[in-house]
Amino acid sequence: LVNGQLKPWTGTTTNVYSSISSTESYQPTLLGSIPSMGENEALEALTSACDAYHKGQGLWPTMKVADRIECMEKFVKQMESQREVVVKLLMWEIGKTLGDSQKEFDRTVEYIYDTIEEYKQLDRDSAKFSKRDGVYAHIRRGPLGVVLCLGPYNYPLNETFALLIPALIMGNTAIFKPAKHGVLLISPLLEAFRSSFPKGVVNIIYGRGREVAAPIMKSGRIDVLALIGNSKSAIALQDQHPNKNRLRLVLGLEAKNPAVVLPDADMNLTIDECITGTLSFNGQRCTALKLVHVHEQIQDTFLEQFTARVDAMKFGNPWEEGVKLTPLPEPDKPEYIQELIDDALAKGAKILNKRGGERTDNFIFPAVLFPVTKEMHVYQEEQFGPVIPVKPFNDIQVLLDEIADSNYGQQVSLFGKDVYELSPLIDTLVNLVCRVNLNSACQRGPDVFPFTGRKDSAVATLSVHDALRSFSIRTFVASKDN
Ligand code: G3H
């Protein structure tokens, strides 16, 4: 979708496969193909977004607020009519369970409606007249410019739209490149984008990062890099920009959220939450619990019950009843998880659950590794997949030092009963990360609350409330006359 036109594609294409097999003997299923765009198409999309921002009449950023809202409402209504096909593609493309795929779609629709309401409020509150030393200022909140928007494969709809929608409604224009997995599910929405927004406001391109995103960054004409993914890609893209100081960043990056299980924790609740936290969507969430610190006094009880619960989880296709574990969309992920397991075993950990490490098609059954130490790769790296490192502790100060030393700072889950005793710990933890979850797994939602992180976990804050501010700047017109 470039400059308001759905361009017919005659060039080369790239096949998109599902890690779900439709045959008895495992073979990835061919789902479709996408255009392999290159530099020319990328720069055409860029020019279209730049022109829509500042050239000609009736420009998107200068449009009346009510008109921009009308476009967004038109878009979300059309999007709602595509629920069935998008949910189906979420299951096939990224292996998300039926329930979670429906949740992702519905949550995105709700996010858009909430953003519209928040924007109305923000616009009312931010429009101000101010006077000082004989100068009158008419202050407004305005857009930042042209945004390059790149989303992740684990929430190809919801997280991408959590960037794109607030960026657009604030009056920015955008070039959006869908994630490699979860790319086809954008196709049913292309017509809604085309018919709801003026030409050039949103441009959607396909292709490899180095062929389409790199030339856009190199042009120096991008004002905002909006990305949810890993720091490596974010840094590589920033480095392409000829003047990095000019580039605004809205980045949601990696995390290694720990669970801390104290001796007086409610065991049943803790285990329920740790199962959800570590293994929802096979652990492929930036908010997943990626390290469990359990107090030595209760480690045996915890591990016995936890491993039994992990082994009882059902693997299968995303639409099957009761299935919690599903094929992994990235073909090389099981191998990577195996390497983490092998490294931990070589350094003294054991797999505690019977099924840990079993391979099925493009899946590896979650292994509970214990005792994990700092030297192991699974302690240091964001696994983003089904493997659960558990580390014993007996000194809370040593544990706090470890959390403080981490390169990441998104969230912590703290399990314990005595709130009076917990409170100093909560105060310390919330200054090391950005969200402390009491007796519950880490998560992003509800989407109205700030979603961010310290250190390598995020730059800027996302949420219905905060994203509008992250994608805007306060501007004003000054005059000497009232
Ligand atoms: O991958 C990171 C997502 O923001 C996780 O969101 O906690 O709603 O699953 P979630």
Side-chain angles (χ1 to χ4, degrees):
L1 174 65
V2 177
N3 203 23
Q5 283 186 315
L6 287 167
K7 290 168 81 79
W9 185 252
T10 50
T12 54
T13 56
T14 307
N15 286 341
V16 178
Y17 292 93
S18 170
S19 58
I20 299 166
S21 182
S22 41
T23 59
E24 283 290 299
S25 56
Y26 178 70
Q27 281 296 322
T29 306
L30 178 64
L31 292 180
S33 61
I34 49 159
S36 315
M37 292 185 170
E39 183 168 343
N40 290 344
E41 292 80 26
L43 294 179
E44 201 185 325
L46 173 68
T47 302
S48 146
C50 292
D51 288 355
Y53 188 78
H54 73 267
K55 239 186 217 170
Q57 297 293 313
L59 294 164
W60 181 246
T62 60
M63 244 186 193
K64 278 198 208 129
V65 166
D67 293 342
R68 277 214 298 272
I69 289 173
E70 200 182 311
C71 294
M72 197 54 85
E73 283 172 344
K74 188 170 170 196
F75 170 74
V76 68
K77 286 201 178 96
Q78 287 189 59
M79 175 179 162
E80 284 178 276
S81 68
Q82 300 298 316
R83 183 177 190 264
E84 202 180 327
V85 63
V86 174
V87 164
K88 202 165 178 182
L89 283 166
L90 272 164
M91 289 192 282
W92 276 94
E93 283 198 88
I94 62 162
K96 196 168 266 196
T97 59
L98 173 62
D100 284 349
S101 296
Q102 289 168 332
K103 219 193 285 171
E104 172 159 0
F105 189 92
D106 297 341
R107 178 181 182 178
T108 310
V109 167
E110 191 184 341
Y111 193 99
I112 300 175
Y113 280 118
D114 285 350
T115 299
I116 292 172
E117 287 314 307
E118 181 74 22
Y119 176 55
K120 288 179 191 166
Q121 185 67 35
L122 177 70
D123 190 65
R124 274 195 296 272
D125 296 348
S126 65
K128 284 200 169 50
F129 284 97
S130 202
K131 183 194 165 199
R132 177 93 192 218
D133 299 337
V135 180
Y136 294 89
H138 177 202
I139 302 173
R140 293 296 289 263
R141 193 165 265 278
L144 294 169
V146 180
V147 181
L148 175 62
C149 176
L150 305 154
Y153 81 80
N154 65 335
Y155 277 95
L157 185 69
N158 177 268
E159 286 210 324
T160 313
F161 282 25
L163 299 171
L164 190 59
I165 297 300
L168 291 177
I169 205 163
M170 281 310 314
N172 300 281
T173 61
I175 303 134
F176 157 40
K177 184 181 107 57
K180 181 174 168 195
H181 305 285
V183 54
L184 294 178
L185 58 88
I186 298 300
S187 319
L189 305 176
L190 288 174
E191 176 54 25
F193 275 116
R194 189 201 65 77
S195 58
S196 307
F197 296 99
K199 65 176 188 164
V201 168
V202 52
N203 302 275
I204 303 179
I205 56 172
Y206 300 92
R208 294 162 75 97
R210 78 175 77 105
E211 267 136 49
V212 290
I216 290 176
M217 292 306 293
K218 280 184 191 153
S219 75
R221 296 171 76 199
I222 281 293
D223 301 298
V224 188
L225 173 63
L227 173 148
I228 295 183
N230 60 56
S231 328
K232 216 169 125 195
S233 322
I235 291 169
L237 283 163
Q238 286 170 62
D239 284 345
Q240 315 260 12
H241 198 287
N243 185 351
K244 275 194 271 179
N245 292 344
R246 258 178 46 182
L247 188 64
R248 295 274 181 139
L249 301 173
V250 180
L251 308 175
L253 303 169
E254 297 109 346
K256 186 85 183 171
N257 295 337
V260 177
V261 187
L262 299 172
D264 65 347
D266 175 329
M267 200 48 74
N268 288 337
L269 179 144
T270 304
I271 290 190
D272 278 352
E273 293 293 318
C274 284
I275 289 284
T276 314
T278 53
L279 290 175
S280 284
F281 192 37
N282 311 304
Q284 302 166 112
R285 297 159 62 230
C286 65
T287 52
L289 289 174
K290 300 196 180 97
L291 189 56
V292 179
H293 296 277
V294 61
H295 197 281
E296 282 177 1
Q297 278 175 29
I298 45 143
Q299 74 186 38
D300 293 347
T301 322
F302 175 87
L303 287 167
E304 192 188 328
Q305 295 184 24
F306 185 67
T307 49
R309 286 281 300 277
V310 173
D311 275 349
M313 290 175 84
K314 189 171 163 194
F315 169 77
N317 289 323
W319 48 85
E320 288 168 30
E321 188 74 25
V323 160
K324 297 279 184 219
L325 303 169
T326 50
L328 304 172
E330 294 176 294
D332 49 357
K333 188 53 86 60
E335 206 46 57
Y336 169 64
I337 298 290
Q338 186 64 57
E339 281 166 23
L340 292 177
I341 294 173
D342 292 345
D343 172 73
L345 297 182
K347 291 173 181 161
K350 288 196 167 52
I351 299 179
L352 294 192
N353 55 324
K354 291 196 191 75
R355 302 182 64 189
E358 270 177 18
R359 294 285 283 268
T360 322
D361 304 339
N362 196 47
F363 186 71
I364 180 161
F365 201 88
V368 180
L369 295 171
F370 183 85
V372 159
T373 58
K374 284 183 181 178
E375 294 67 39
M376 298 174 186
H377 294 165
V378 76
Y379 174 92
Q380 297 151 6
E381 293 172 25
E382 188 200 34
Q383 65 268 41
F384 217 81
V387 58
I388 309 163
V390 184
K391 190 168 182 292
F393 77 94
N394 58 22
D395 183 334
I396 197 73
Q397 190 51 54
V398 174
L399 177 54
L400 285 172
D401 290 346
E402 278 182 34
I403 294 173
D405 281 349
S406 166
N407 289 331
Y408 307 109
Q410 192 198 70
Q411 303 185 31
V412 169
S413 285
L414 185 58
F415 296 95
K417 245 188 207 135
D418 192 327
V419 176
Y420 178 74
E421 269 188 26
L422 285 182
S423 120
L425 188 55
I426 298 167
D427 289 348
T428 307
L429 283 169
V430 85
N431 293 324
L432 296 176
V433 295
C434 287
R435 172 169 170 165
V436 176
N437 300 278
L438 291 181
N439 296 311
S440 57
C442 297
Q443 59 168 328
R444 176 165 42 118
D447 289 332
V448 289
F449 296 141
F451 177 56
T452 186
R454 299 172 194 266
K455 304 185 214 168
D456 292 346
S457 285
V459 177
T461 305
L462 292 168
S463 77
V464 168
H465 175 86
D466 296 279
L468 293 173
R469 284 140 180 104
S470 299
F471 282 105
S472 61
I473 189 167
R474 290 180 80 216
T475 58
F476 69 100
V477 178
S479 84
K480 296 218 164 140
D481 299 317
N482 191 346

mmCIF file with all atom_site columns, all heavy atoms in Angstrom, residues 107 154-155 159 284-287 384 442-445 451, ligand 1:
data_model
loop_
_atom_site.group_PDB
_atom_site.id
_atom_site.type_symbol
_atom_site.label_atom_id
_atom_site.label_alt_id
_atom_site.label_comp_id
_atom_site.label_asym_id
_atom_site.label_entity_id
_atom_site.label_seq_id
_atom_site.pdbx_PDB_ins_code
_atom_site.Cartn_x
_atom_site.Cartn_y
_atom_site.Cartn_z
_atom_site.occupancy
_atom_site.B_iso_or_equiv
_atom_site.pdbx_formal_charge
_atom_site.auth_seq_id
_atom_site.auth_comp_id
_atom_site.auth_asym_id
_atom_site.auth_atom_id
_atom_site.pdbx_PDB_model_num
ATOM   1   N N   . ARG A 1 107 ? -8.412 -7.348  21.728 1.00 0.00 ? 107 ARG A N   1
ATOM   2   C CA  . ARG A 1 107 ? -7.648 -6.373  22.513 1.00 0.00 ? 107 ARG A CA  1
ATOM   3   C C   . ARG A 1 107 ? -7.182 -5.215  21.623 1.00 0.00 ? 107 ARG A C   1
ATOM   4   O O   . ARG A 1 107 ? -7.127 -4.067  22.055 1.00 0.00 ? 107 ARG A O   1
ATOM   5   C CB  . ARG A 1 107 ? -6.452 -7.128  23.109 1.00 0.00 ? 107 ARG A CB  1
ATOM   6   C CG  . ARG A 1 107 ? -5.508 -6.303  23.918 1.00 0.00 ? 107 ARG A CG  1
ATOM   7   C CD  . ARG A 1 107 ? -4.389 -7.225  24.401 1.00 0.00 ? 107 ARG A CD  1
ATOM   8   N NE  . ARG A 1 107 ? -3.448 -6.513  25.240 1.00 0.00 ? 107 ARG A NE  1
ATOM   9   C CZ  . ARG A 1 107 ? -2.413 -7.101  25.819 1.00 0.00 ? 107 ARG A CZ  1
ATOM   10  N NH1 . ARG A 1 107 ? -2.200 -8.392  25.672 1.00 0.00 ? 107 ARG A NH1 1
ATOM   11  N NH2 . ARG A 1 107 ? -1.579 -6.400  26.553 1.00 0.00 ? 107 ARG A NH2 1
ATOM   12  N N   . ASN A 1 154 ? 5.482  -11.967 17.765 1.00 0.00 ? 154 ASN A N   1
ATOM   13  C CA  . ASN A 1 154 ? 4.658  -12.615 18.797 1.00 0.00 ? 154 ASN A CA  1
ATOM   14  C C   . ASN A 1 154 ? 3.314  -11.921 18.998 1.00 0.00 ? 154 ASN A C   1
ATOM   15  O O   . ASN A 1 154 ? 2.360  -12.529 19.462 1.00 0.00 ? 154 ASN A O   1
ATOM   16  C CB  . ASN A 1 154 ? 5.420  -12.715 20.119 1.00 0.00 ? 154 ASN A CB  1
ATOM   17  C CG  . ASN A 1 154 ? 5.723  -11.366 20.722 1.00 0.00 ? 154 ASN A CG  1
ATOM   18  O OD1 . ASN A 1 154 ? 5.796  -10.372 20.017 1.00 0.00 ? 154 ASN A OD1 1
ATOM   19  N ND2 . ASN A 1 154 ? 5.891  -11.314 22.020 1.00 0.00 ? 154 ASN A ND2 1
ATOM   20  N N   . TYR A 1 155 ? 3.256  -10.633 18.653 1.00 0.00 ? 155 TYR A N   1
ATOM   21  C CA  . TYR A 1 155 ? 1.985  -9.896  18.632 1.00 0.00 ? 155 TYR A CA  1
ATOM   22  C C   . TYR A 1 155 ? 1.950  -9.106  17.330 1.00 0.00 ? 155 TYR A C   1
ATOM   23  O O   . TYR A 1 155 ? 2.035  -7.878  17.340 1.00 0.00 ? 155 TYR A O   1
ATOM   24  C CB  . TYR A 1 155 ? 1.889  -8.937  19.821 1.00 0.00 ? 155 TYR A CB  1
ATOM   25  C CG  . TYR A 1 155 ? 1.410  -9.565  21.107 1.00 0.00 ? 155 TYR A CG  1
ATOM   26  C CD1 . TYR A 1 155 ? 2.303  -10.029 22.055 1.00 0.00 ? 155 TYR A CD1 1
ATOM   27  C CD2 . TYR A 1 155 ? 0.049  -9.683  21.370 1.00 0.00 ? 155 TYR A CD2 1
ATOM   28  C CE1 . TYR A 1 155 ? 1.868  -10.608 23.238 1.00 0.00 ? 155 TYR A CE1 1
ATOM   29  C CE2 . TYR A 1 155 ? -0.393 -10.262 22.551 1.00 0.00 ? 155 TYR A CE2 1
ATOM   30  C CZ  . TYR A 1 155 ? 0.509  -10.717 23.463 1.00 0.00 ? 155 TYR A CZ  1
ATOM   31  O OH  . TYR A 1 155 ? 0.065  -11.284 24.635 1.00 0.00 ? 155 TYR A OH  1
ATOM   32  N N   . GLU A 1 159 ? 0.748  -5.515  18.940 1.00 0.00 ? 159 GLU A N   1
ATOM   33  C CA  . GLU A 1 159 ? 1.861  -4.633  19.314 1.00 0.00 ? 159 GLU A CA  1
ATOM   34  C C   . GLU A 1 159 ? 2.218  -3.673  18.195 1.00 0.00 ? 159 GLU A C   1
ATOM   35  O O   . GLU A 1 159 ? 2.624  -2.549  18.445 1.00 0.00 ? 159 GLU A O   1
ATOM   36  C CB  . GLU A 1 159 ? 3.073  -5.453  19.737 1.00 0.00 ? 159 GLU A CB  1
ATOM   37  C CG  . GLU A 1 159 ? 2.839  -6.051  21.108 1.00 0.00 ? 159 GLU A CG  1
ATOM   38  C CD  . GLU A 1 159 ? 4.098  -6.238  21.909 1.00 0.00 ? 159 GLU A CD  1
ATOM   39  O OE1 . GLU A 1 159 ? 5.126  -6.565  21.309 1.00 0.00 ? 159 GLU A OE1 1
ATOM   40  O OE2 . GLU A 1 159 ? 4.034  -6.078  23.129 1.00 0.00 ? 159 GLU A OE2 1
ATOM   41  N N   . GLN A 1 284 ? 7.060  -17.035 24.461 1.00 0.00 ? 284 GLN A N   1
ATOM   42  C CA  . GLN A 1 284 ? 7.483  -16.050 23.440 1.00 0.00 ? 284 GLN A CA  1
ATOM   43  C C   . GLN A 1 284 ? 6.813  -14.693 23.700 1.00 0.00 ? 284 GLN A C   1
ATOM   44  O O   . GLN A 1 284 ? 6.083  -14.167 22.858 1.00 0.00 ? 284 GLN A O   1
ATOM   45  C CB  . GLN A 1 284 ? 7.110  -16.548 22.042 1.00 0.00 ? 284 GLN A CB  1
ATOM   46  C CG  . GLN A 1 284 ? 7.722  -17.889 21.704 1.00 0.00 ? 284 GLN A CG  1
ATOM   47  C CD  . GLN A 1 284 ? 7.076  -18.516 20.478 1.00 0.00 ? 284 GLN A CD  1
ATOM   48  O OE1 . GLN A 1 284 ? 7.705  -18.642 19.453 1.00 0.00 ? 284 GLN A OE1 1
ATOM   49  N NE2 . GLN A 1 284 ? 5.830  -18.901 20.567 1.00 0.00 ? 284 GLN A NE2 1
ATOM   50  N N   . ARG A 1 285 ? 7.022  -14.154 24.854 1.00 0.00 ? 285 ARG A N   1
ATOM   51  C CA  . ARG A 1 285 ? 6.472  -12.823 25.200 1.00 0.00 ? 285 ARG A CA  1
ATOM   52  C C   . ARG A 1 285 ? 7.578  -12.042 25.887 1.00 0.00 ? 285 ARG A C   1
ATOM   53  O O   . ARG A 1 285 ? 8.312  -12.603 26.705 1.00 0.00 ? 285 ARG A O   1
ATOM   54  C CB  . ARG A 1 285 ? 5.291  -12.966 26.164 1.00 0.00 ? 285 ARG A CB  1
ATOM   55  C CG  . ARG A 1 285 ? 4.098  -13.708 25.607 1.00 0.00 ? 285 ARG A CG  1
ATOM   56  C CD  . ARG A 1 285 ? 3.222  -14.254 26.720 1.00 0.00 ? 285 ARG A CD  1
ATOM   57  N NE  . ARG A 1 285 ? 2.671  -13.227 27.566 1.00 0.00 ? 285 ARG A NE  1
ATOM   58  C CZ  . ARG A 1 285 ? 2.744  -13.260 28.900 1.00 0.00 ? 285 ARG A CZ  1
ATOM   59  N NH1 . ARG A 1 285 ? 3.375  -14.241 29.537 1.00 0.00 ? 285 ARG A NH1 1
ATOM   60  N NH2 . ARG A 1 285 ? 2.201  -12.303 29.612 1.00 0.00 ? 285 ARG A NH2 1
ATOM   61  N N   . CYS A 1 286 ? 7.678  -10.767 25.555 1.00 0.00 ? 286 CYS A N   1
ATOM   62  C CA  . CYS A 1 286 ? 8.719  -9.992  26.240 1.00 0.00 ? 286 CYS A CA  1
ATOM   63  C C   . CYS A 1 286 ? 8.404  -9.918  27.729 1.00 0.00 ? 286 CYS A C   1
ATOM   64  O O   . CYS A 1 286 ? 9.296  -9.781  28.552 1.00 0.00 ? 286 CYS A O   1
ATOM   65  C CB  . CYS A 1 286 ? 8.868  -8.607  25.632 1.00 0.00 ? 286 CYS A CB  1
ATOM   66  S SG  . CYS A 1 286 ? 7.432  -7.577  25.841 1.00 0.00 ? 286 CYS A SG  1
ATOM   67  N N   . THR A 1 287 ? 7.133  -10.046 28.081 1.00 0.00 ? 287 THR A N   1
ATOM   68  C CA  . THR A 1 287 ? 6.733  -9.969  29.482 1.00 0.00 ? 287 THR A CA  1
ATOM   69  C C   . THR A 1 287 ? 6.792  -11.321 30.204 1.00 0.00 ? 287 THR A C   1
ATOM   70  O O   . THR A 1 287 ? 6.437  -11.401 31.379 1.00 0.00 ? 287 THR A O   1
ATOM   71  C CB  . THR A 1 287 ? 5.288  -9.434  29.587 1.00 0.00 ? 287 THR A CB  1
ATOM   72  O OG1 . THR A 1 287 ? 4.477  -10.231 28.735 1.00 0.00 ? 287 THR A OG1 1
ATOM   73  C CG2 . THR A 1 287 ? 5.180  -7.989  29.204 1.00 0.00 ? 287 THR A CG2 1
ATOM   74  N N   . PHE A 1 384 ? 13.182 -16.297 25.190 1.00 0.00 ? 384 PHE A N   1
ATOM   75  C CA  . PHE A 1 384 ? 12.013 -16.088 24.331 1.00 0.00 ? 384 PHE A CA  1
ATOM   76  C C   . PHE A 1 384 ? 11.489 -17.405 23.752 1.00 0.00 ? 384 PHE A C   1
ATOM   77  O O   . PHE A 1 384 ? 11.245 -17.550 22.558 1.00 0.00 ? 384 PHE A O   1
ATOM   78  C CB  . PHE A 1 384 ? 12.356 -15.119 23.194 1.00 0.00 ? 384 PHE A CB  1
ATOM   79  C CG  . PHE A 1 384 ? 11.221 -14.198 22.840 1.00 0.00 ? 384 PHE A CG  1
ATOM   80  C CD1 . PHE A 1 384 ? 10.968 -13.068 23.591 1.00 0.00 ? 384 PHE A CD1 1
ATOM   81  C CD2 . PHE A 1 384 ? 10.397 -14.454 21.750 1.00 0.00 ? 384 PHE A CD2 1
ATOM   82  C CE1 . PHE A 1 384 ? 9.905  -12.213 23.282 1.00 0.00 ? 384 PHE A CE1 1
ATOM   83  C CE2 . PHE A 1 384 ? 9.343  -13.612 21.429 1.00 0.00 ? 384 PHE A CE2 1
ATOM   84  C CZ  . PHE A 1 384 ? 9.095  -12.492 22.204 1.00 0.00 ? 384 PHE A CZ  1
ATOM   85  N N   . CYS A 1 442 ? 3.981  -11.576 35.391 1.00 0.00 ? 442 CYS A N   1
ATOM   86  C CA  . CYS A 1 442 ? 4.211  -10.317 34.675 1.00 0.00 ? 442 CYS A CA  1
ATOM   87  C C   . CYS A 1 442 ? 3.316  -10.281 33.439 1.00 0.00 ? 442 CYS A C   1
ATOM   88  O O   . CYS A 1 442 ? 3.029  -11.313 32.842 1.00 0.00 ? 442 CYS A O   1
ATOM   89  C CB  . CYS A 1 442 ? 5.665  -10.206 34.240 1.00 0.00 ? 442 CYS A CB  1
ATOM   90  S SG  . CYS A 1 442 ? 6.822  -10.156 35.605 1.00 0.00 ? 442 CYS A SG  1
ATOM   91  N N   . GLN A 1 443 ? 2.905  -9.112  33.063 1.00 0.00 ? 443 GLN A N   1
ATOM   92  C CA  . GLN A 1 443 ? 2.122  -8.943  31.835 1.00 0.00 ? 443 GLN A CA  1
ATOM   93  C C   . GLN A 1 443 ? 2.129  -7.473  31.429 1.00 0.00 ? 443 GLN A C   1
ATOM   94  O O   . GLN A 1 443 ? 2.511  -6.614  32.215 1.00 0.00 ? 443 GLN A O   1
ATOM   95  C CB  . GLN A 1 443 ? 0.690  -9.425  32.036 1.00 0.00 ? 443 GLN A CB  1
ATOM   96  C CG  . GLN A 1 443 ? -0.040 -8.689  33.138 1.00 0.00 ? 443 GLN A CG  1
ATOM   97  C CD  . GLN A 1 443 ? -1.535 -8.965  33.144 1.00 0.00 ? 443 GLN A CD  1
ATOM   98  O OE1 . GLN A 1 443 ? -2.122 -9.187  32.095 1.00 0.00 ? 443 GLN A OE1 1
ATOM   99  N NE2 . GLN A 1 443 ? -2.152 -8.928  34.309 1.00 0.00 ? 443 GLN A NE2 1
ATOM   100 N N   . ARG A 1 444 ? 1.668  -7.228  30.203 1.00 0.00 ? 444 ARG A N   1
ATOM   101 C CA  . ARG A 1 444 ? 1.652  -5.850  29.693 1.00 0.00 ? 444 ARG A CA  1
ATOM   102 C C   . ARG A 1 444 ? 0.373  -5.132  30.111 1.00 0.00 ? 444 ARG A C   1
ATOM   103 O O   . ARG A 1 444 ? 0.374  -3.979  30.442 1.00 0.00 ? 444 ARG A O   1
ATOM   104 C CB  . ARG A 1 444 ? 1.760  -5.879  28.169 1.00 0.00 ? 444 ARG A CB  1
ATOM   105 C CG  . ARG A 1 444 ? 1.661  -4.539  27.498 1.00 0.00 ? 444 ARG A CG  1
ATOM   106 C CD  . ARG A 1 444 ? 2.154  -4.655  26.079 1.00 0.00 ? 444 ARG A CD  1
ATOM   107 N NE  . ARG A 1 444 ? 1.691  -5.864  25.453 1.00 0.00 ? 444 ARG A NE  1
ATOM   108 C CZ  . ARG A 1 444 ? 0.902  -5.891  24.385 1.00 0.00 ? 444 ARG A CZ  1
ATOM   109 N NH1 . ARG A 1 444 ? 0.479  -4.776  23.825 1.00 0.00 ? 444 ARG A NH1 1
ATOM   110 N NH2 . ARG A 1 444 ? 0.541  -7.038  23.842 1.00 0.00 ? 444 ARG A NH2 1
ATOM   111 N N   . GLY A 1 445 ? -0.740 -5.854  30.056 1.00 0.00 ? 445 GLY A N   1
ATOM   112 C CA  . GLY A 1 445 ? -2.031 -5.217  30.279 1.00 0.00 ? 445 GLY A CA  1
ATOM   113 C C   . GLY A 1 445 ? -2.328 -4.958  31.734 1.00 0.00 ? 445 GLY A C   1
ATOM   114 O O   . GLY A 1 445 ? -1.540 -5.338  32.600 1.00 0.00 ? 445 GLY A O   1
ATOM   115 N N   . PHE A 1 451 ? 3.459  0.992   29.919 1.00 0.00 ? 451 PHE A N   1
ATOM   116 C CA  . PHE A 1 451 ? 4.231  -0.196  29.559 1.00 0.00 ? 451 PHE A CA  1
ATOM   117 C C   . PHE A 1 451 ? 5.597  0.287   29.093 1.00 0.00 ? 451 PHE A C   1
ATOM   118 O O   . PHE A 1 451 ? 5.725  0.904   28.044 1.00 0.00 ? 451 PHE A O   1
ATOM   119 C CB  . PHE A 1 451 ? 3.509  -0.974  28.457 1.00 0.00 ? 451 PHE A CB  1
ATOM   120 C CG  . PHE A 1 451 ? 4.284  -2.174  27.995 1.00 0.00 ? 451 PHE A CG  1
ATOM   121 C CD1 . PHE A 1 451 ? 4.677  -3.146  28.903 1.00 0.00 ? 451 PHE A CD1 1
ATOM   122 C CD2 . PHE A 1 451 ? 4.626  -2.331  26.665 1.00 0.00 ? 451 PHE A CD2 1
ATOM   123 C CE1 . PHE A 1 451 ? 5.405  -4.256  28.492 1.00 0.00 ? 451 PHE A CE1 1
ATOM   124 C CE2 . PHE A 1 451 ? 5.350  -3.433  26.238 1.00 0.00 ? 451 PHE A CE2 1
ATOM   125 C CZ  . PHE A 1 451 ? 5.732  -4.401  27.157 1.00 0.00 ? 451 PHE A CZ  1
HETATM 126 O O1  . G3H B 2 .   ? 6.028  -9.513  23.996 1.00 0.00 ? 1   G3H B O1  1
HETATM 127 C C1  . G3H B 2 .   ? 5.682  -8.668  24.792 1.00 0.00 ? 1   G3H B C1  1
HETATM 128 C C2  . G3H B 2 .   ? 4.250  -8.344  24.926 1.00 0.00 ? 1   G3H B C2  1
HETATM 129 O O2  . G3H B 2 .   ? 4.115  -6.980  25.164 1.00 0.00 ? 1   G3H B O2  1
HETATM 130 C C3  . G3H B 2 .   ? 3.582  -9.168  25.948 1.00 0.00 ? 1   G3H B C3  1
HETATM 131 O O3  . G3H B 2 .   ? 2.285  -8.749  26.178 1.00 0.00 ? 1   G3H B O3  1
HETATM 132 O O4  . G3H B 2 .   ? 1.967  -9.471  28.526 1.00 0.00 ? 1   G3H B O4  1
HETATM 133 O O5  . G3H B 2 .   ? 0.046  -8.933  27.078 1.00 0.00 ? 1   G3H B O5  1
HETATM 134 O O6  . G3H B 2 .   ? 1.364  -10.993 26.678 1.00 0.00 ? 1   G3H B O6  1
HETATM 135 P P1  . G3H B 2 .   ? 1.371  -9.584  27.168 1.00 0.00 ? 1   G3H B P1  1
#
